[in-house]
Amino acid sequence: MKNKLSRFAVPYIIWMALFVVAPIVMVVIYAFSTADGGFTLANFSRMGTYAVVFTRSFKLAIIATAVCLAIGYPVSYMMSKEGARFQRVAMVLIMLPMWMNFLLRTYSWMSILENNGLLNQLFQKIGLIALYNQLFGTDLQFFRMINTQGAVVLGMVYNYLPFMILPIYSVIIKLDRSLIEAARDLGANTFNVFRRVILPLSLPGVLSGITMVFVPSVSTFAISKMLGGGTEMMLGDLIEQQFLGGAYNPQLGAAISLVMMVIVVICMVVMNRFGEGEEQAVML
């Protein structure tokens, strides 16, 4: 019976071979190849000239992930303590922006943050810009928010925040409430219950959320291009430039992609290793 059912897995194996394994193999081949098809390691040595891009990408991705965690965990925790009706409504509100196209959501932030956008018009009408000029002796006509690293981080937080909230919420809502009641019966206050019971048991959701936010953040290119104005180049922009831009060099682009993939896999393995001892952490 098991062998007969395994036949149904053949289409999925073929799909993975064509659209997962084959592209990775092609990236590896290109990364170690010259334009003439010969073997070389020069593609990796040339990546040192883009150290600033690597640093910026990981810095902004870490900041965006930290902000998502700082917002997502309290939201998930408060949602889990409310009734079922509130949780359903909150879940719809969190997921609602995801029903719209990713680029449309990012374009909307461009109109909000640009120099004559909605925020700057609001600041002008309420006199905030005039007050700032009066206090600091400046002559600003608008606050520069677009084409900055802050705008890029804001775009990543807005787009990827649900990926932090949902896994944490799904873990907290399934916690055994008898453990919390037992901790209270043993004299633990609210803070100790959270620190010794809820937080350790929710670590799998936290680590899953960190992974789901960090991985797309470090490789993003649409957000950095639209909200960063091309001045805050990240790894995704650099790779796209090597494959599609004027600096056409698919071998170098493949080498950068391979290195980034290895770094992301290492980060995921490290975070999973931290999550292996969550059950023992409850006993600390």
Side-chain angles (χ1 to χ4, degrees):
M1 182 66 179
K2 184 177 180 180
N3 294 332
K4 292 182 179 179
L5 293 177
S6 62
R7 298 175 182 175
F8 292 99
V10 173
Y12 301 100
I13 295 175
I14 296 175
W15 178 276
M16 290 184 62
L18 290 177
F19 299 104
V20 178
V21 178
I24 293 176
V25 172
M26 292 179 63
V27 168
V28 173
I29 293 174
Y30 267 80
F32 291 96
S33 302
T34 63
D36 299 328
F39 177 82
T40 184
L41 295 175
N43 296 322
F44 296 93
S45 63
R46 293 180 58 189
M47 288 191 300
T49 58
Y50 300 103
V52 175
V53 179
F54 275 85
T55 303
R56 182 188 300 121
S57 298
F58 280 90
K59 181 186 73 173
L60 296 185
I62 291 172
I63 293 174
T65 304
V67 174
C68 285
L69 179 61
I71 298 175
Y73 197 100
V75 171
S76 303
Y77 180 69
M78 289 186 291
M79 282 176 55
S80 66
K81 297 180 65 176
E82 299 294 335
R85 182 177 180 181
F86 178 89
Q87 292 178 12
R88 288 193 295 268
V89 173
M91 191 64 64
V92 170
L93 294 177
I94 292 171
M95 295 299 298
L96 189 61
M98 306 297 292
W99 298 349
M100 294 183 291
N101 183 271
F102 176 87
L103 293 178
L104 289 179
R105 299 199 306 268
T106 309
Y107 270 119
S108 67
W109 275 108
M110 291 179 64
S111 63
I112 293 173
L113 299 177
E114 63 186 7
N115 296 337
N116 60 342
L118 297 178
L119 274 181
N120 273 311
Q121 291 182 18
L122 175 63
F123 294 154
Q124 288 175 354
K125 290 185 180 297
I126 65 176
L128 183 60
I129 296 179
L131 178 61
Y132 182 89
N133 289 331
Q134 183 178 357
L135 291 176
F136 297 97
T138 58
D139 190 24
L140 295 178
Q141 301 298 321
F142 51 81
F143 291 130
R144 183 174 178 266
M145 294 177 286
I146 198 73
N147 301 337
T148 62
Q149 292 187 3
V152 176
V153 171
L154 176 61
M156 290 191 290
V157 170
Y158 173 75
N159 282 290
Y160 302 137
L161 182 59
F163 299 135
M164 181 67 74
I165 295 177
L166 295 180
I168 296 177
Y169 167 77
S170 64
V171 171
I172 294 179
I173 197 65
K174 295 176 183 178
L175 293 181
D176 189 354
R177 299 297 167 179
S178 62
L179 295 175
I180 300 176
E181 295 175 0
R184 293 188 181 278
D185 291 340
L186 292 173
N189 55 29
T190 303
F191 175 77
N192 285 329
V193 169
F194 175 79
R195 183 173 65 89
R196 293 179 175 272
V197 180
I198 298 176
L199 181 60
L201 291 177
S202 64
L203 283 181
V206 172
L207 297 176
S208 177
I210 291 175
T211 303
M212 294 176 67
V213 173
F214 178 78
V215 172
S217 295
V218 77
S219 59
T220 187
F221 67 94
I223 295 175
S224 56
K225 181 178 294 185
M226 297 166 66
L227 298 181
T231 60
E232 305 297 338
M233 178 179 288
M234 298 181 65
L235 282 174
D237 304 304
L238 180 60
I239 294 171
E240 182 195 29
Q241 185 183 75
Q242 302 304 318
F243 281 97
L244 301 176
Y248 181 73
N249 190 343
Q251 288 76 24
L252 178 59
I256 297 172
S257 301
L258 183 61
V259 170
M260 185 178 69
M261 183 168 54
V262 171
I263 293 175
V264 169
V265 169
I266 292 174
C267 292
M268 293 174 63
V269 171
V270 170
M271 285 186 288
N272 288 333
R273 291 283 295 178
F274 276 114
E276 287 180 356
E278 69 270 5
E279 294 182 359
Q280 290 82 355
V282 181
M283 305 302 297
L284 297 178

